[in-house]
Amino acid sequence: FSSIIKPLILYGYETSPFVKPVREYLCALALPHIVIPCARGSRHRDQLFQQTGTFQVPFLRDPNTGVELFESNEIVEYLETV
């Protein structure tokens, strides 16, 4: 049994008003996370599209549970349970 928690992965970009509350909540809860920047022209943007079939941010992936979410409100609700 491993108690090591893998960091959550958040795809987004700095100026998105939808990403900001998720980033702030992750920090407020002190949850380990990695932000993958995917501004226009970024290779990460193309990777997100290839992985999900769409481009929408924020996108949160929890490698600990397999949960994947797009909507800010849903992500914040999920983070409350982590």
Side-chain angles (χ1 to χ4, degrees):
F1 176 73
S2 175
S3 62
I4 297 174
I5 298 174
K6 296 176 184 172
L8 303 174
I9 301 167
L10 176 66
Y11 287 82
Y13 54 93
E14 191 71 28
T15 58
S16 169
F18 305 107
V19 175
K20 183 179 178 181
V22 175
R23 283 188 8 253
E24 289 176 350
Y25 210 72
L26 283 164
C27 292
L29 294 174
L31 292 170
H33 65 282
I34 298 168
V35 177
I36 307 293
C38 50
R40 186 166 297 154
S42 165
R43 65 183 168 87
H44 298 298
R45 189 181 190 108
D46 294 334
Q47 289 171 350
L48 179 60
F49 184 81
Q50 289 172 356
Q51 293 173 23
T52 65
T54 188
F55 178 77
Q56 180 180 337
V57 294
F59 175 68
L60 181 83
R61 176 177 289 134
D62 185 342
N64 303 289
T65 62
V67 168
E68 296 181 339
L69 299 166
F70 281 105
E71 298 295 330
S72 298
N73 292 338
E74 291 177 12
I75 293 171
V76 169
E77 286 176 18
Y78 174 73
L79 294 176
E80 292 173 350
T81 69
V82 174

Short mmCIF file of all heavy atoms in Angstrom, two decimals, residues 6 9-10 12 15 18 20 23 25 27-28 31 38 47 50 57 59-60 63 67 69 78:
data_model
loop_
_atom_site.label_atom_id
_atom_site.label_comp_id
_atom_site.label_asym_id
_atom_site.label_seq_id
_atom_site.Cartn_x
_atom_site.Cartn_y
_atom_site.Cartn_z
N LYS A 6 -0.03 11.47 -5.78
CA LYS A 6 0.48 12.10 -7.00
C LYS A 6 -0.17 13.47 -7.14
O LYS A 6 -1.34 13.65 -6.79
CB LYS A 6 0.14 11.25 -8.22
CG LYS A 6 0.80 9.89 -8.21
CD LYS A 6 0.34 9.08 -9.40
CE LYS A 6 0.91 7.68 -9.34
NZ LYS A 6 0.33 6.82 -10.39
N ILE A 9 -3.28 17.39 -11.87
CA ILE A 9 -2.81 18.07 -13.08
C ILE A 9 -3.92 19.00 -13.56
O ILE A 9 -5.04 18.57 -13.82
CB ILE A 9 -2.44 17.05 -14.17
CG1 ILE A 9 -1.35 16.11 -13.64
CG2 ILE A 9 -1.99 17.76 -15.44
CD1 ILE A 9 -1.11 14.89 -14.48
N LEU A 10 -3.57 20.27 -13.66
CA LEU A 10 -4.53 21.29 -14.10
C LEU A 10 -4.04 21.91 -15.40
O LEU A 10 -2.95 22.47 -15.44
CB LEU A 10 -4.69 22.38 -13.04
CG LEU A 10 -5.60 23.54 -13.42
CD1 LEU A 10 -7.05 23.09 -13.58
CD2 LEU A 10 -5.50 24.67 -12.39
N GLY A 12 -4.58 24.83 -18.12
CA GLY A 12 -5.20 26.13 -18.19
C GLY A 12 -4.22 27.18 -18.68
O GLY A 12 -3.10 26.86 -19.07
N THR A 15 -4.60 33.88 -18.01
CA THR A 15 -5.62 34.93 -18.11
C THR A 15 -7.05 34.40 -18.12
O THR A 15 -7.99 35.19 -18.15
CB THR A 15 -5.39 35.78 -19.37
OG1 THR A 15 -5.44 34.93 -20.52
CG2 THR A 15 -4.05 36.50 -19.32
N PHE A 18 -11.88 31.36 -15.86
CA PHE A 18 -12.43 30.09 -15.39
C PHE A 18 -11.38 29.25 -14.67
O PHE A 18 -11.71 28.43 -13.82
CB PHE A 18 -13.02 29.30 -16.57
CG PHE A 18 -14.04 30.09 -17.34
CD1 PHE A 18 -13.74 30.60 -18.59
CD2 PHE A 18 -15.28 30.35 -16.80
CE1 PHE A 18 -14.66 31.35 -19.29
CE2 PHE A 18 -16.22 31.10 -17.48
CZ PHE A 18 -15.91 31.60 -18.74
N LYS A 20 -8.74 30.63 -12.94
CA LYS A 20 -8.29 31.33 -11.74
C LYS A 20 -8.89 30.78 -10.44
O LYS A 20 -8.15 30.51 -9.49
CB LYS A 20 -8.55 32.83 -11.87
CG LYS A 20 -8.04 33.63 -10.70
CD LYS A 20 -8.29 35.11 -10.88
CE LYS A 20 -7.81 35.86 -9.65
NZ LYS A 20 -8.04 37.29 -9.76
N ARG A 23 -7.28 27.42 -9.58
CA ARG A 23 -5.90 27.57 -9.11
C ARG A 23 -5.88 28.08 -7.67
O ARG A 23 -5.13 27.58 -6.82
CB ARG A 23 -5.13 28.55 -10.00
CG ARG A 23 -4.69 27.95 -11.30
CD ARG A 23 -3.74 28.83 -12.14
NE ARG A 23 -3.24 30.02 -11.51
CZ ARG A 23 -3.63 31.26 -11.80
NH1 ARG A 23 -4.54 31.48 -12.72
NH2 ARG A 23 -3.11 32.29 -11.20
N TYR A 25 -8.17 27.78 -5.39
CA TYR A 25 -8.68 26.77 -4.48
C TYR A 25 -7.63 25.69 -4.23
O TYR A 25 -7.47 25.22 -3.10
CB TYR A 25 -9.98 26.17 -5.04
CG TYR A 25 -10.91 25.70 -3.96
CD1 TYR A 25 -11.60 26.61 -3.16
CD2 TYR A 25 -11.10 24.36 -3.73
CE1 TYR A 25 -12.45 26.18 -2.17
CE2 TYR A 25 -11.96 23.92 -2.73
CZ TYR A 25 -12.62 24.84 -1.96
OH TYR A 25 -13.45 24.41 -0.96
N CYS A 27 -4.46 26.08 -4.26
CA CYS A 27 -3.47 26.69 -3.36
C CYS A 27 -4.02 26.83 -1.94
O CYS A 27 -3.31 26.54 -0.97
CB CYS A 27 -3.02 28.04 -3.90
SG CYS A 27 -2.06 27.92 -5.41
N ALA A 28 -5.27 27.25 -1.81
CA ALA A 28 -5.87 27.43 -0.49
C ALA A 28 -5.93 26.11 0.27
O ALA A 28 -5.74 26.07 1.49
CB ALA A 28 -7.27 28.02 -0.62
N LEU A 31 -3.13 21.59 -1.91
CA LEU A 31 -3.08 20.31 -2.59
C LEU A 31 -1.93 20.31 -3.58
O LEU A 31 -1.74 21.29 -4.33
CB LEU A 31 -4.39 20.05 -3.34
CG LEU A 31 -5.62 19.81 -2.47
CD1 LEU A 31 -6.88 19.79 -3.32
CD2 LEU A 31 -5.47 18.50 -1.71
N CYS A 38 -1.42 26.15 -21.28
CA CYS A 38 -1.85 25.82 -22.65
C CYS A 38 -2.48 27.02 -23.33
O CYS A 38 -3.60 26.95 -23.83
CB CYS A 38 -2.75 24.60 -22.66
SG CYS A 38 -4.12 24.63 -21.51
N GLN A 47 -1.85 18.95 -27.17
CA GLN A 47 -1.87 17.70 -26.41
C GLN A 47 -3.21 17.51 -25.71
O GLN A 47 -3.77 16.42 -25.71
CB GLN A 47 -0.74 17.66 -25.39
CG GLN A 47 0.63 17.51 -26.00
CD GLN A 47 1.75 17.69 -24.98
OE1 GLN A 47 1.51 18.09 -23.84
NE2 GLN A 47 2.97 17.40 -25.39
N GLN A 50 -5.76 16.47 -28.21
CA GLN A 50 -5.58 15.07 -28.61
C GLN A 50 -6.07 14.11 -27.52
O GLN A 50 -6.64 13.06 -27.82
CB GLN A 50 -4.10 14.79 -28.92
CG GLN A 50 -3.62 15.45 -30.18
CD GLN A 50 -2.11 15.33 -30.37
OE1 GLN A 50 -1.40 14.81 -29.52
NE2 GLN A 50 -1.63 15.82 -31.51
N VAL A 57 -10.75 24.83 -20.98
CA VAL A 57 -10.05 24.94 -19.70
C VAL A 57 -10.97 25.62 -18.71
O VAL A 57 -11.83 26.40 -19.10
CB VAL A 57 -8.72 25.73 -19.83
CG1 VAL A 57 -7.73 24.96 -20.67
CG2 VAL A 57 -8.92 27.13 -20.37
N PHE A 59 -9.13 22.14 -17.14
CA PHE A 59 -9.28 20.69 -17.21
C PHE A 59 -8.42 20.11 -16.10
O PHE A 59 -7.22 20.37 -16.04
CB PHE A 59 -8.83 20.14 -18.56
CG PHE A 59 -8.86 18.64 -18.63
CD1 PHE A 59 -10.06 17.95 -18.60
CD2 PHE A 59 -7.69 17.91 -18.71
CE1 PHE A 59 -10.10 16.57 -18.66
CE2 PHE A 59 -7.71 16.52 -18.76
CZ PHE A 59 -8.92 15.85 -18.75
N LEU A 60 -9.05 19.36 -15.21
CA LEU A 60 -8.34 18.76 -14.09
C LEU A 60 -8.31 17.25 -14.25
O LEU A 60 -9.33 16.64 -14.54
CB LEU A 60 -9.03 19.09 -12.76
CG LEU A 60 -8.32 18.51 -11.53
CD1 LEU A 60 -7.18 19.43 -11.10
CD2 LEU A 60 -9.28 18.28 -10.40
N PRO A 63 -4.61 11.88 -11.10
CA PRO A 63 -3.99 10.58 -11.39
C PRO A 63 -4.17 9.57 -10.27
O PRO A 63 -3.92 8.38 -10.46
CB PRO A 63 -2.51 10.93 -11.60
CG PRO A 63 -2.30 12.17 -10.84
CD PRO A 63 -3.61 12.92 -10.88
N VAL A 67 -10.22 10.58 -12.07
CA VAL A 67 -11.26 11.57 -12.33
C VAL A 67 -10.72 12.64 -13.27
O VAL A 67 -9.58 13.10 -13.12
CB VAL A 67 -11.74 12.21 -11.00
CG1 VAL A 67 -12.60 13.44 -11.26
CG2 VAL A 67 -12.50 11.18 -10.18
N LEU A 69 -12.20 16.31 -15.06
CA LEU A 69 -13.29 17.29 -15.04
C LEU A 69 -12.92 18.54 -15.82
O LEU A 69 -11.76 18.96 -15.82
CB LEU A 69 -13.61 17.69 -13.59
CG LEU A 69 -14.07 16.58 -12.65
CD1 LEU A 69 -14.02 17.06 -11.21
CD2 LEU A 69 -15.47 16.14 -13.02
N TYR A 78 -15.25 18.90 -6.44
CA TYR A 78 -14.43 17.69 -6.34
C TYR A 78 -13.27 17.91 -5.37
O TYR A 78 -12.96 17.05 -4.53
CB TYR A 78 -13.92 17.27 -7.72
CG TYR A 78 -12.95 16.11 -7.65
CD1 TYR A 78 -13.40 14.83 -7.39
CD2 TYR A 78 -11.59 16.30 -7.83
CE1 TYR A 78 -12.52 13.76 -7.31
CE2 TYR A 78 -10.71 15.25 -7.75
CZ TYR A 78 -11.18 13.98 -7.50
OH TYR A 78 -10.30 12.93 -7.40
#
